[in-house]
Amino acid sequence: MFSDSLGAGAQRVAAHFDAMTADMADLPVIHAMRYAVVGGKGLRGWLVLEGARLHDVSEDRALWPACAIEAIHAYSLVHDDLPCMDDDDLRRGQPTVHRKWDEATAVLAGDALQALGFELVSDPRCHPSAEVRADLTLSLARASGARGMVLGQALDMAAETAGTPLTLEQITTLQAGKTGALITWSALAGTRLAQADLAPLTAYADRLGLAFQIADDILDVEGDAKTVGKAVGKDKGRGKATFVSLLGLDAAKARADQLVTEACDALAPYGSRADTLREAARFVISRRN
Amino acid sequence: MFSDSLGAGAQRVAAHFDAMTADMADLPVIHAMRYAVVGGKGLRGWLVLEGARLHDVSEDRALWPACAIEAIHAYSLVHDDLPCMDDDDLRRGQPTVHRKWDEATAVLAGDALQALGFELVSDPRCHPSAEVRADLTLSLARASGARGMVLGQALDMAAETAGTPLTLEQITTLQAGKTGALITWSALAGTRLAQADLAPLTAYADRLGLAFQIADDILDVEGDAKTVGKAVGKDKGRGKATFVSLLGLDAAKARADQLVTEACDALAPYGSRADTLREAARFVISRRN
């Protein structure tokens, strides 16, 4: 079952993270790094493991990019939660890093997590081919930087400052960066390890990433804070345009459904071996947190 | 002359930075990235160019790691200056990024600069050999992350929280991370591009980095804010242990002199070709800002 597979994957990624950071100093920043990575759903790391499995790449290798993307994702959440950004006290039902420690620790832990992400994918133990490692590194830098995730965040910030709600097209671009870029990288890492054709999983992941964000917007309206593990109703409170505010709740749900169907169809070349990825896509729009 | 060479190098690195970011969105975060990189002394980028020249590596290649290290260095300054960190209003005589824009822009611009650093050294245009690119990336991740620069910053923060002044040995370890790791990486990047012996420039750079920090501590005591371009006298005001507080001003100057002599001696295998690097080492301890 998908949820079991997800949980087991997250545990193996967490164990790899612990092994990779075991030699680091006994300091608050290092503890905060672990706190930020461990305890998440681990969807991105799981996508890496699953994409690798689909290409018969051993999990010993896949754990490196899986751990890398969880480190990068965790850094983005730690910085996003800062008072000067989203100012969140809770994440996954637990105090955010700057609440549990302090802001300086949160800034540094995030910075170190980003560096760790790049360290993991350029380590020779990740893959014997330097071509593969350089490819993973370059694509990760592009996906997470000012042409990918940070671009999405910067567009989000600019929209908030401007006070003009975004159009559907603008929100789609914004989210393709903010959430989509890392999800797509995750789904493709296994293909990169195998040096195989990127097209099928690119089509899958682009749709999955967008469906994921629409589901997030729906949760912000329909979820309750306790189950979601963070504050809800924030978008409406801020008068922020979302997929729900632009499409309406029913049309947003229909759009997410359609994207999931398309994502599953894109996996046709892999046949039934990709059933767990199909289940993951359906999970993404039915989740409660 | 060294200062001309430094200025000319900084201009070429800035031009490369502009070319590499020309396609990025017209957003405050992107403008802040440029602002943070351009206008610095560019010592680290210059060390890359000079180390490459010493190994007959073309500057077209050297500009990639030179620009990368300036991006990484700039990200660390932008985050260091934040109110929750050192809370500085001035840097190089200009408003810091969070003062000119805001804190959220500073956090994001720093994050994007870090990603850009890794993007630049893993770009195939940096070097045709993926081995070289993966080597540059891995060493940069280690030098900048929780085993290098961030470790130094975390030790610094822990010392401030503990309120117990550090010993000379502890300060040396702290500074080897905080300032030394990036300086050493800069001096070695050209050797990595040439796949040559790392030993001579490692010995040079380790001493240079330490001398650089001792000189910084001396400037904090002897400099005036206008020339230095940032607040001075801060260390003493905080009761913070520095090389000057531990060794005394004269002994600190003597130690810096000795380190520079050792750094210059380490360049013996390169003969007179390394004279500009020797001049750079002497400049580091005689600078006024």
Side-chain angles (χ1 to χ4, degrees):
Chain A
M1 237 194 89
F2 165 69
S3 62
D4 297 334
S5 171
L6 182 67
Q11 278 186 13
R12 295 197 298 278
V13 171
H16 192 73
F17 180 88
D18 287 343
M20 291 304 108
T21 54
D23 64 324
M24 287 183 179
D26 180 23
L27 290 168
V29 168
I30 312 296
H31 303 158
M33 288 170 72
R34 185 180 197 282
Y35 178 81
V37 167
V38 177
K41 279 189 293 290
L43 178 67
R44 289 158 191 78
W46 180 86
L47 284 170
V48 174
L49 299 184
E50 202 56 21
R53 192 187 60 75
L54 216 52
H55 294 91
D56 297 313
V57 171
S58 84
E59 189 165 288
D60 284 352
R61 284 190 187 153
L63 279 168
W64 295 81
C67 199
I69 198 66
E70 288 296 333
I72 297 282
H73 176 55
Y75 115 66
S76 78
L77 299 183
V78 172
H79 283 184
D80 253 3
D81 288 338
L82 285 168
C84 68
M85 306 276 283
D86 283 354
D87 194 12
D88 277 309
D89 295 337
L90 281 179
R91 163 76 62 186
R92 301 159 180 167
Q94 301 289 324
T96 47
V97 170
H98 68 273
R99 295 292 291 171
K100 194 169 166 77
W101 285 273
D102 51 49
E103 285 182 53
T105 302
V107 170
L108 275 185
D111 289 345
L113 282 169
Q114 181 173 180
L116 180 67
F118 290 106
E119 184 179 334
L120 289 167
V121 288
S122 52
D123 191 298
R125 291 169 289 177
C126 164
H127 200 285
S129 158
E131 284 288 349
V132 169
R133 293 180 335 250
D135 176 44
L136 284 169
T137 311
L138 181 57
S139 53
L140 182 57
R142 286 182 177 155
S144 65
R147 289 186 190 84
M149 181 178 72
V150 174
L151 173 64
Q153 292 169 313
L155 287 169
D156 205 7
M157 218 161 73
E160 217 152 309
T161 310
T164 328
L166 297 176
T167 64
L168 188 60
E169 196 190 335
Q170 287 172 320
I171 285 203
T172 307
T173 306
L174 185 160
Q175 294 299 350
K178 199 172 166 184
T179 332
L182 290 199
I183 287 184
T184 299
W185 189 90
S186 307
L188 289 176
T191 318
R192 293 187 190 279
L193 286 170
Q195 299 180 273
D197 179 19
L198 297 170
L201 280 166
T202 305
Y204 166 80
D206 286 350
R207 283 155 186 82
L208 180 72
L210 193 52
F212 188 90
Q213 188 54 46
I214 297 178
D216 243 23
D217 288 353
I218 295 172
L219 272 177
D220 189 69
V221 174
E222 289 198 324
D224 70 288
K226 206 177 157 193
T227 318
V228 178
K230 61 182 178 185
V232 295
K234 290 178 64 176
D235 297 335
K236 199 172 175 184
R238 291 176 183 171
K240 202 168 160 180
T242 69
F243 288 108
V244 174
S245 74
L246 288 166
L247 294 168
L249 191 56
D250 290 341
K253 286 179 180 176
R255 179 83 185 108
D257 273 336
Q258 183 202 354
L259 285 164
V260 165
T261 303
E262 288 174 18
C264 293
D265 290 349
L267 298 171
Y270 297 106
S272 63
R273 293 195 70 190
D275 279 349
T276 335
L277 283 174
R278 293 189 183 91
E279 210 188 321
R282 284 187 289 265
F283 163 82
V284 153
I285 57 163
S286 65
R287 71 203 156 94
R288 291 283 159 265
N289 60 52
Chain B
M1 238 196 85
F2 166 69
S3 62
D4 296 336
S5 171
L6 183 67
Q11 278 185 14
R12 295 197 298 278
V13 171
H16 191 73
F17 180 88
D18 287 344
M20 290 305 108
T21 55
D23 64 324
M24 287 183 180
D26 179 24
L27 290 168
V29 168
I30 313 296
H31 304 156
M33 288 170 71
R34 186 178 197 284
Y35 178 82
V37 167
V38 177
K41 278 190 294 290
L43 177 66
R44 289 158 191 78
W46 181 86
L47 284 170
V48 174
L49 299 184
E50 202 57 20
R53 192 187 59 76
L54 217 52
H55 294 92
D56 297 313
V57 171
S58 85
E59 189 164 289
D60 284 352
R61 283 189 188 157
L63 279 169
W64 296 81
C67 199
I69 198 66
E70 288 295 334
I72 297 282
H73 177 55
Y75 114 66
S76 78
L77 299 182
V78 171
H79 283 185
D80 252 4
D81 289 338
L82 284 168
C84 67
M85 306 276 284
D86 282 356
D87 194 14
D88 278 309
D89 294 338
L90 282 179
R91 162 76 62 187
R92 300 157 181 169
Q94 300 290 324
T96 47
V97 170
H98 68 274
R99 295 291 291 170
K100 194 169 165 78
W101 285 273
D102 51 50
E103 286 181 53
T105 303
V107 170
L108 274 184
D111 289 344
L113 282 169
Q114 181 174 178
L116 180 67
F118 290 105
E119 184 179 333
L120 290 166
V121 288
S122 52
D123 192 300
R125 289 168 290 177
C126 165
H127 198 286
S129 157
E131 284 290 348
V132 169
R133 290 174 345 245
D135 177 44
L136 284 169
T137 310
L138 181 58
S139 54
L140 182 57
R142 286 183 177 154
S144 65
R147 288 185 192 85
M149 181 178 71
V150 173
L151 172 65
Q153 291 169 313
L155 287 169
D156 206 6
M157 218 161 72
E160 217 152 308
T161 310
T164 329
L166 297 176
T167 64
L168 188 60
E169 197 190 334
Q170 287 172 322
I171 285 201
T172 307
T173 306
L174 185 161
Q175 294 299 349
K178 199 173 166 182
T179 333
L182 289 199
I183 287 185
T184 299
W185 188 90
S186 307
L188 288 176
T191 318
R192 293 186 190 279
L193 286 171
Q195 299 181 275
D197 179 18
L198 298 169
L201 280 166
T202 304
Y204 166 81
D206 286 350
R207 283 154 185 84
L208 180 72
L210 193 52
F212 187 89
Q213 188 54 46
I214 297 178
D216 242 23
D217 288 352
I218 295 171
L219 272 178
D220 189 68
V221 174
E222 290 197 323
D224 70 288
K226 204 176 160 193
T227 318
V228 178
K230 60 181 177 184
V232 296
K234 290 178 63 176
D235 298 334
K236 199 173 175 184
R238 292 176 184 171
K240 201 169 160 180
T242 70
F243 288 106
V244 173
S245 73
L246 288 166
L247 294 168
L249 191 57
D250 290 342
K253 285 180 179 173
R255 179 82 185 109
D257 273 337
Q258 184 203 352
L259 285 164
V260 165
T261 303
E262 288 174 19
C264 292
D265 291 349
L267 298 172
Y270 296 106
S272 63
R273 293 195 71 190
D275 279 349
T276 336
L277 283 175
R278 292 190 183 89
E279 210 187 320
R282 286 187 289 266
F283 162 81
V284 153
I285 59 163
S286 64
R287 70 204 157 92
R288 291 282 159 265
N289 60 53

